[in-house]
Amino acid sequence: NGDAANPACSGIEGVLEAYHRSLRRVQLYGPTNFAPVVNHVARSAAAVMDGSQYFVLLIITDGVISDMAQTKEAIVN
């Protein structure tokens, strides 16, 4: 949602709003390291054990991922 202190979105509408907002603000450039982001979201999701929330990680890239091996490992984990 663009707020590093509170990155949660509320519902599909919130996800879509954050996506559209990011299209206007984000400039893609390298290096592209996804493993830290995947691991961060996984830790946040693991902290919610009661099933009351779900987590969506939308990854947009220009096709070049600098840490591909680490990103694959993070996704598998």
Side-chain angles (χ1 to χ4, degrees), residues 3-27:
D3 183 353
N6 182 21
C9 297
S10 180
I12 297 299
E13 296 81 18
V15 172
L16 291 173
E17 180 182 328
Y19 172 72
H20 288 119
R21 190 177 321 121
S22 70
L23 288 176
R24 295 186 299 270
R25 296 181 5 195
V26 173
Q27 179 179 0

Side-chain angles (χ1 to χ4, degrees), residues 8 15 25 33 49 75 77:
V15 172
R25 296 181 5 195
N33 297 310
M49 301 298 289
I75 290 170
N77 289 337

Side-chain angles (χ1 to χ4, degrees), residues 4-75:
N6 182 21
C9 297
S10 180
I12 297 299
E13 296 81 18
V15 172
L16 291 173
E17 180 182 328
Y19 172 72
H20 288 119
R21 190 177 321 121
S22 70
L23 288 176
R24 295 186 299 270
R25 296 181 5 195
V26 173
Q27 179 179 0
L28 301 177
Y29 60 93
T32 303
N33 297 310
F34 284 134
V37 175
V38 173
N39 287 325
H40 177 78
V41 172
R43 282 191 300 273
S44 296
V48 180
M49 301 298 289
D50 63 1
S52 63
Q53 297 179 36
Y54 61 93
F55 293 77
V56 175
L57 175 60
L58 174 64
I59 296 175
I60 301 173
T61 181
D62 59 2
V64 179
I65 299 174
S66 303
D67 65 342
M68 182 62 83
Q70 295 91 340
T71 297
K72 286 180 181 178
E73 182 179 343
I75 290 170

